[in-house]
Amino acid sequence: MTTTYDVVIIGAGPVGENVADRLVQGGLTAAIVERELVGGECSYWACMPTKALLRSAAALRAARQVPGAREAVTGDLDVAAVLGRRDSFASNWQDDGQASWLESVGVPLYRGHGRISSGRVVEVTAGDGSTTTLTARHAVVVSTGSSALVPDIEGLRAAAPWTSREAVAAKEVPGRLAIIGGGVVASEMATAFGDLGSSVTMLARDGVLHLAEPFVGERVAGSLRDKGVSVRIGAEAGSVKRNDDGTVSITLVDGEQIDADELLVAIGRTPNTQDLGLETVGLTPGSWLTVDDTMRVVGPDAAPLGDGWLYAAGDVNRRVLLTHQGKYQARAVGDVIVARVKGEPVEDERWGRHAATADERAVPQVVFTDPEVASVGLTVAAAEAAGLRIRAVDYDLGATAGSSLHAEGYQGHARMVVDEDRKVIVGFTLVGPDVGEMVHAATIAIVGEVPLDRLWHAVPAFPTVSEVWLRLLEAYGR
């Protein structure tokens, strides 16, 4: 059976869904292929269920930090209720709702493994072994995402460790949890399982959130230790063994042994391109896909493959491994395919409608640890590495009037990184309770390249924690 559409999309996560939506809105036909659940990693094993795991404890902490509310708190977390709420946000790992949405917007869903068999042709193998051939008139979009990386540590794979998927979907809270890694997933899961009652040991060889500003890792690591997490900076696993009783033993490179009931590996991601048919277009199976700013896949010479029919959006292109940036790329790629098909102007210049320019220097991120971390743009180290002449301005977030109202003993920190030649902000980092909701203002300032002299007129409401903007500008010296 062969069916033809304008565009065929491989991968029905949030990126693929958004590509399909933009294509249909633009008047093209599109089909989407998915081998797992419609909605992808974010819906079932990442963004939504992880934040559900973290939110209940965060709300409890917030109540306990405000006199009057604190006295009303009479118990601890109900673990079963937390896990139940997590299940609901993962739709109990059923994709009926999102599959129905595809149907409602006129996008046929082909369940099975999609593989490029030749130019513009995708072969779909269903669970029962039957195959369907989909031909694209104009483009194929790869949005297959990424999976957790399991490193080559002796005995690790044989020990069947948790990755982020198993941790997020856990039905029980382990008494002892060891975590290899110190990045976002490791830090959030250390926070979540520590709050849920696990005795957590975190083996953070490179530090905690080491890609962020240094003060971020220091504060998050300190908070984890305060709640009883053993944070082992510089510790590195040399070998792993799953014991007969089901427990796990991790031997560090220095010979020390750590025992746990479960082990979570959270050190990075690998692209889902192992069996995608990349060899048919001259690329290496299992590799990340390099794209231009319109998400068109390019070869080693940086030129589009063939006549430019292959696109890749989301994690799989390794530009930014964040759902919101993947959806941003999806909007760009959906719209640019429509423009190219219809012969309309392609706006692929910097900040053009069809270019994912924000991927370069304006990526926002929130880490839902205790305290929260919110950042956008460049750190001091990244800005200096980019050759910018910069100045960093810091302020104690707890010194604003709004913070004292928000929580008793509020502690936090803010930093803005200024490009001294253009007098605009190129980086902004916040760490403190509930700072995630403050990051979009900084994102707008960076994307809009708003001069500091104009930002002076953006008056923060009193008394809010956002008054830190005024204090940072004062510290900079208008």
Side-chain angles (χ1 to χ4, degrees), residues 200-244:
V200 180
T201 300
M202 191 175 180
L203 307 178
R205 185 191 65 181
D206 300 320
V208 174
L209 300 173
H210 69 281
L211 296 179
E213 297 285 13
F215 62 82
V216 167
E218 292 170 3
R219 286 180 180 260
V220 172
S223 175
L224 287 170
R225 288 185 174 117
D226 287 345
K227 69 173 71 217
V229 175
S230 176
V231 181
R232 307 286 297 277
I233 306 296
E236 182 176 0
S239 64
V240 176
K241 179 183 178 182
R242 177 73 69 171
N243 302 311
D244 292 340

Side-chain angles (χ1 to χ4, degrees), residues 34-308:
E34 178 54 53
R35 64 185 176 89
E36 293 189 301
L37 298 177
V38 176
E41 199 80 10
C42 179
S43 297
Y44 308 101
W45 301 288
C47 319
M48 297 304 290
T50 59
K51 305 316 171 271
L53 277 177
L54 288 155
R55 178 57 191 161
S56 298
L60 184 59
R61 272 193 301 275
R64 287 173 170 166
Q65 289 175 322
V66 180
R70 174 191 300 147
E71 288 73 18
V73 177
T74 58
D76 294 322
L77 283 177
D78 183 326
V79 173
V82 173
L83 297 183
R85 186 169 188 262
R86 180 273 320 269
D87 292 351
S88 70
F89 273 94
S91 301
N92 292 296
W93 294 274
Q94 300 292 320
D95 66 357
D96 298 358
Q98 298 204 49
S100 295
W101 176 82
L102 285 175
E103 182 179 1
S104 73
V105 297
V107 177
L109 168 64
Y110 291 84
R111 291 191 182 272
H113 182 83
R115 192 176 189 278
I116 299 168
S117 58
S118 60
R120 295 191 182 84
V121 178
V122 175
E123 186 174 276
V124 183
T125 303
D128 62 5
S130 62
T131 61
T132 302
T133 300
L134 306 178
T135 300
R137 296 186 186 93
H138 304 291
V140 172
V141 181
V142 176
S143 57
T144 50
S146 64
S147 297
L149 174 65
V150 179
D152 292 324
I153 295 173
E154 180 184 342
L156 181 58
R157 290 187 177 89
W162 279 2
T163 65
S164 53
R165 282 198 170 195
E166 290 77 20
V168 170
K171 298 301 182 184
E172 296 181 354
V173 176
R176 299 169 300 170
L177 175 66
I179 301 175
I180 296 178
V184 174
V185 172
S187 298
E188 288 190 345
M189 290 300 95
T191 302
F193 281 93
D195 288 335
L196 291 170
S198 286
S199 175
V200 180
T201 300
M202 191 175 180
L203 307 178
R205 185 191 65 181
D206 300 320
V208 174
L209 300 173
H210 69 281
L211 296 179
E213 297 285 13
F215 62 82
V216 167
E218 292 170 3
R219 286 180 180 260
V220 172
S223 175
L224 287 170
R225 288 185 174 117
D226 287 345
K227 69 173 71 217
V229 175
S230 176
V231 181
R232 307 286 297 277
I233 306 296
E236 182 176 0
S239 64
V240 176
K241 179 183 178 182
R242 177 73 69 171
N243 302 311
D244 292 340
D245 61 0
T247 61
V248 183
S249 296
I250 305 104
T251 302
L252 305 185
V253 293
D254 64 4
E256 181 184 356
Q257 181 173 304
I258 294 173
D259 295 316
D261 297 301
E262 280 299 344
L263 169 64
L264 166 62
V265 178
I267 64 164
R269 309 288 294 178
T270 187
N272 293 330
T273 61
Q274 296 85 352
D275 188 20
L276 192 61
L278 293 185
E279 66 277 6
T280 65
V281 292
L283 298 177
T284 304
S287 64
W288 300 96
L289 298 179
T290 303
V291 297
D292 63 18
D293 281 348
T294 66
M295 305 302 109
R296 195 156 50 179
V297 177
V298 300
D301 59 356
L305 296 177
D307 60 0

